[in-house]
Amino acid sequence: MSQAQFPGDDARRQLGFLSLAETAALAHRGVLIPDPRSALVSADVQLEDGIVLWPNVVLQALDLGRIVIGRGTYLLPGTRIVAAGGTITIGAGVEIGEEGGFTIKAGSSEVIEIGDGARLLGGGSLSHSCRIGRGAQILGPIRCQNCTLGDGGTYRDPEPDERGGVLKGSGVARNVEVPRGHVIQAFGLFSEAPVRRQSYFHPKG
């Protein structure tokens, strides 16, 4: 099909995104994208195979920013990932955007790392430099800035205290660190809430 059939292509190119045909062609690289018309992907974004881009996903690299997304990651509707001069690295098997989308933005010289098997949902956001470890979770509309969540098992791990660090609730988490097997639940400022073992919320027996 000719480019003339896609009147939005000029705007896509001016904003640094792939044309509709180029977006649809991501399928040839193993990316599953059921609705190419609703997805916006910058030309320089690095995508491994098995990634799923659901409708209304934006992957935007600006000002020499870099986005790398690993194999089998799910980006659900309303996910927006912007590297505006910074670097965003997302591992394999990550789930982002369920229950309200998610926003990730790295400005100039900032680095955001998200480990394998992490889960980010509920309309939250990451900004500034953050490290979200393997299996870590952000559950709810939480604004995370300069946060570190420890590596661990995923939410499917039968031992709660072996899972990656978790933030759950709503509010602002700034300069917060959660070790492996621990969780902070808050509805306001996460820096003022206690750090508990995950087994506190998931006792056995």
Side-chain angles (χ1 to χ4, degrees):
M1 291 185 288
S2 69
Q3 292 180 354
Q5 292 177 270
F6 308 121
D9 278 350
D10 286 343
R12 284 175 177 251
R13 289 198 175 90
Q14 287 179 42
L15 294 170
F17 294 114
L18 299 173
S19 70
L20 181 56
E22 290 166 338
T23 304
L26 292 173
H28 300 308
R29 291 161 45 187
V31 177
L32 302 177
I33 180 166
D35 184 10
R37 291 179 182 271
S38 72
L40 296 173
V41 181
S42 289
D44 295 334
V45 173
Q46 298 180 41
L47 302 172
E48 294 190 11
D49 62 6
I51 291 169
V52 181
L53 303 184
W54 288 101
N56 302 315
V57 167
V58 177
L59 306 178
Q60 187 173 25
L62 304 165
D63 302 324
L64 302 179
R66 185 166 178 258
I67 298 174
V68 179
I69 302 177
R71 181 189 306 269
T73 283
Y74 273 62
L75 303 181
L76 289 127
T79 297
R80 180 171 177 258
I81 300 173
V82 181
T87 300
I88 298 172
T89 304
I90 300 172
V94 177
E95 301 175 26
I96 302 177
E98 189 173 4
E99 300 180 11
F102 208 90
T103 298
I104 301 169
K105 186 172 183 179
S108 179
S109 301
E110 294 171 349
V111 176
I112 294 177
E113 299 177 358
I114 301 170
D116 296 349
R119 187 168 66 143
L120 314 177
L121 57 81
S125 67
L126 293 176
S127 62
H128 305 287
S129 291
C130 294
R131 184 180 185 278
I132 309 303
R134 288 180 289 100
Q137 300 179 78
I138 298 173
L139 309 175
I142 304 167
R143 292 174 55 200
C144 301
Q145 303 170 353
N146 293 319
C147 291
T148 300
L149 305 185
D151 292 321
T154 72
Y155 68 96
R156 297 183 178 91
D157 193 308
E159 294 294 335
D161 293 343
E162 297 297 323
R163 298 172 185 169
V166 175
L167 296 175
K168 61 188 293 187
S170 63
V172 177
R174 185 178 293 117
N175 302 316
V176 167
E177 182 170 353
V178 183
R180 174 190 183 121
H182 289 74
V183 57
I184 298 177
Q185 181 181 45
F187 300 92
L189 295 178
F190 279 72
S191 59
E192 298 179 353
V195 180
R196 295 186 171 102
R197 289 195 172 274
Q198 292 186 39
S199 54
Y200 175 87
F201 294 96
H202 304 283
K204 291 187 175 181

